Amino acid sequence: QVHMVESGGGLVQPGGSLRLSCAASENGINAMSWYRQAPGKERELVATISSGGGTKYADSVKGRFTISRDIANNTLYLHMNSLKPEDTAVYYCRGYRRGYDYWGQGTQVTVSS
């Protein structure tokens, strides 16, 4: 069982920045992703990074968010810039290993003045 723990969420003003982190309890995670879920909406994919470093982003965050990972420390990051109120959501990390998906408990990001 791999445990994923997110951190770094909080309240930020529009135009501000935050960095989310997700620590995995074990190594060997292949693709890792960030998802988010806003109130009353379905969970959506924000960004994905493969074990080789390839990345993909949702159109809504391209140019503003950057996903990265520290494989040696089993940690995933999401650097979020130029935040907008519509980025408000609970952000979850997801890791895939040996046919199983592992999810974190989520961290709240609120963008408001």
Side-chain angles (χ1 to χ4, degrees):
Q1 180 76 11
V2 178
H3 296 282
M4 315 281 285
V5 180
E6 302 98 335
S7 60
L11 173 64
V12 63
Q13 292 187 345
S17 299
L18 278 176
R19 187 185 76 164
L20 305 183
S21 300
C22 173
S25 61
E26 299 181 21
N27 58 17
I29 306 297
N30 294 324
M32 299 185 79
S33 304
W34 287 100
Y35 285 73
R36 67 186 181 187
Q37 187 166 19
K41 295 188 177 181
E42 293 186 355
R43 191 172 296 188
E44 63 173 353
L45 177 64
V46 175
T48 295
I49 185 166
S50 70
S51 56
T55 59
K56 292 184 179 180
Y57 296 91
D59 288 343
S60 59
V61 306
K62 280 181 182 177
R64 300 188 299 121
F65 290 11
T66 301
I67 189 171
S68 62
R69 64 190 293 179
D70 180 345
I71 293 178
N73 291 303
N74 305 323
T75 304
L76 176 71
Y77 300 101
L78 185 68
H79 301 258
M80 305 185 293
N81 296 318
S82 302
L83 283 161
K84 305 175 181 180
E86 50 263 44
D87 294 317
T88 295
V90 178
Y91 284 71
Y92 300 89
C93 66
R94 174 190 180 190
Y96 177 82
R97 189 184 78 165
R98 298 173 189 169
Y100 290 92
D101 283 318
Y102 300 96
W103 291 85
Q105 81 290 347
T107 186
Q108 176 70 46
V109 172
T110 302
V111 184
S112 175
S113 55

